[in-house]
Structures are given as structure tokens and as C-alpha cells.
Amino acid sequence: MSRSPITTHVLDTALGHPASGVPVRLYVEEAPDRWLMLATGITNDDGRVADLLPVDHVLKPGKYRMRFITGDYFSQLKIEGFYPYADIVFQITDPASHYHIPLLLSPFGYSTYRGS
């Protein structure tokens, strides 16, 4: 099965279900503190963005940033959240690998880990 080289999944840990409708932006660092947007997406009903990049996109080693627009998500639910967005910066050293970037989200906190 072919898939985007970078995927994500957002789980709302406060409500206990996937977070659908979360806008996601993917950036690559071109120079120190200069980021180029590579892709955008919105989490589906299962909280996933599986097609963020084309299947044949060739990753390069370097720093990447995934921005989750959490404020939009909480506004849709009429929940007051503390973080308007969550940035996850990660390092790609093996461009041939698949990178799955999960986000565990609640109105007053978030965490992440290297997924599979």
C-alpha cells in the first residue's frame, strides 16, 4: 500500500475520540528560522491526514514542522482551549522512512510521539 511519506493522526483525549476537522500545515526548514510550507490538510472523521504529501514526494533530510490549528477545532466544538495551535518540530534523517506524527490533544495540553 502506498501512502504519503508523512502522515498524522489527532486524538482528542478529553473527549475520547478522533479529532476531525483539524487544519494541518506541514513545513520544511529552508534556513535557520525560515520555513517553507509543503502541504496542508484537514483531519478526516478518523482524525487522520493520510494524503498530506503525494505518494512519490521525495523527502530530504532536515527539520520539519507540523502545525495543528487547534483553536479552530475547539471553536467548532464551542470549547475554550488554551493553545490556538500546536507546533511539532521533528528531524528527518532517513528520507526513505515513513514518518507518522500523532497528536494527543485536550483543551489545556497536548503531547506527541514518533508513530509507526
Side-chain angles (χ1 to χ4, degrees):
M1 176 175 86
S2 296
R3 60 183 167 180
S4 169
I6 298 176
T7 56
T8 191
H9 189 197
V10 183
L11 295 173
D12 186 324
T13 58
L15 297 177
H17 59 68
S20 64
V22 178
V24 178
R25 298 179 188 147
L26 177 66
Y27 301 84
V28 62
E29 188 177 47
E30 290 187 310
D33 291 321
R34 194 172 87 216
W35 297 90
L36 172 69
M37 189 183 311
L38 290 180
T40 62
I42 298 177
T43 57
N44 64 17
D45 288 344
D46 194 34
R48 297 179 184 273
V49 180
D51 58 354
L52 197 54
L53 293 169
V55 173
D56 61 351
H57 182 88
V58 178
L59 294 175
K60 295 179 182 174
K63 291 180 189 171
Y64 290 75
R65 179 176 75 197
M66 195 169 286
R67 174 167 283 181
F68 299 86
I69 312 301
T70 56
D72 289 1
Y73 170 73
F74 288 121
S75 290
Q76 290 173 2
L77 297 175
K78 298 186 181 357
I79 294 174
E80 184 178 338
F82 185 68
Y83 299 101
Y85 58 85
D87 279 350
I88 299 172
V89 178
F90 56 99
Q91 183 88 21
I92 289 182
T93 55
D94 178 7
S97 289
H98 174 257
Y99 293 87
H100 184 66
I101 313 299
L103 178 68
L104 303 176
L105 181 62
S106 74
F108 297 98
Y110 62 89
S111 63
T112 187
Y113 57 94
R114 167 93 193 254
S116 59

